[in-house]
Amino acid sequence: YLKHLAGVRGIVPDRESLQRLGVECIEAGWDQFCTAVLEFAGWHPGDSVIVEGIRHAEAVGALNAVVAPGRVFLVYLAADDAVIQARIRVRDGAGVELQKIESHPSDGGVGERLNAVTDIVLDANRPLSALAGDVWRWHGVRTRFGCELPRILKAGAGPRRSSSTTAVA
């Protein structure tokens, strides 16, 4: 959503610009920002939402308020620093370092802030393409059998996407 918004505003969508834009959106209000992100993702009222990429616990509360009576399912991708740095280099170029990113208020300490509200933790040292199947498998089993599942999930195949859930990353 922030990359889209940057394009609309004529802002170069590099990491620092997106961080500034994110802070600006948050300052306008969590409900407004979360509603805009959900609408951009194609969410419909009443749907539940599976989310990865949250950096603030306040966003989870705002998302839950917006999607009610639906539910927000928060996915946390845990990876080693070396894997994260390699992905940053692919996405943002060789000049961007993990340490610099984590020094920004919107990115630093994400894991500590979100641990209490995370529904599932995935081993993101694995290929990102494999993780989506894990999420859908976890959500499908949880929904079908109405039970709580372990927060840390092992690899596996996922079911087809349900029409009553929107995925936002």
Side-chain angles (χ1 to χ4, degrees):
Y1 169 73
L2 289 176
K3 287 180 182 179
H4 165 75
L5 187 57
V8 168
R9 293 186 180 183
I11 299 169
V12 175
D14 61 16
R15 180 172 291 277
E16 289 178 8
S17 297
L18 293 174
Q19 286 174 326
R20 280 192 303 273
L21 185 56
V23 168
E24 177 186 322
C25 289
I26 290 167
E27 288 174 351
W30 280 109
D31 290 343
Q32 180 180 335
F33 178 59
C34 291
T35 299
V37 169
L38 291 170
E39 288 173 355
F40 179 77
W43 170 80
H44 301 285
D47 285 359
S48 293
V49 181
I50 298 173
V51 182
E52 186 286 326
I54 297 288
R55 287 165 170 57
H56 302 274
E58 298 88 349
V60 178
L63 283 168
N64 273 312
V66 172
V67 305
R71 172 133 172 0
V72 173
F73 297 94
L74 182 62
V75 177
Y76 183 81
L77 301 178
D80 295 334
D81 286 351
V83 172
I84 296 170
Q85 184 63 58
R87 290 180 180 154
I88 289 168
R89 285 189 179 129
V90 167
R91 185 181 59 228
D92 298 333
V96 180
E97 296 296 325
L98 177 59
Q99 191 173 39
K100 182 178 179 186
I101 292 169
E102 289 184 337
S103 68
H104 191 276
S106 69
D107 286 303
V110 171
E112 296 83 17
R113 290 194 303 250
L114 297 176
N115 191 36
V117 294
T118 297
D119 290 290
I120 181 174
V121 179
L122 297 178
D123 176 5
N125 293 310
R126 299 172 41 239
L128 294 175
S129 59
L131 299 175
D134 291 347
V135 172
W136 290 119
R137 179 172 56 90
W138 173 84
H139 182 264
V141 170
R142 185 184 186 286
T143 303
R144 182 173 181 178
F145 297 106
C147 61
E148 292 300 318
L149 296 175
R151 288 182 68 224
I152 300 177
L153 189 69
K154 302 295 180 193
R160 288 199 165 92
R161 182 174 177 194
S162 163
S163 62
S164 64
T165 304
T166 301
V168 179

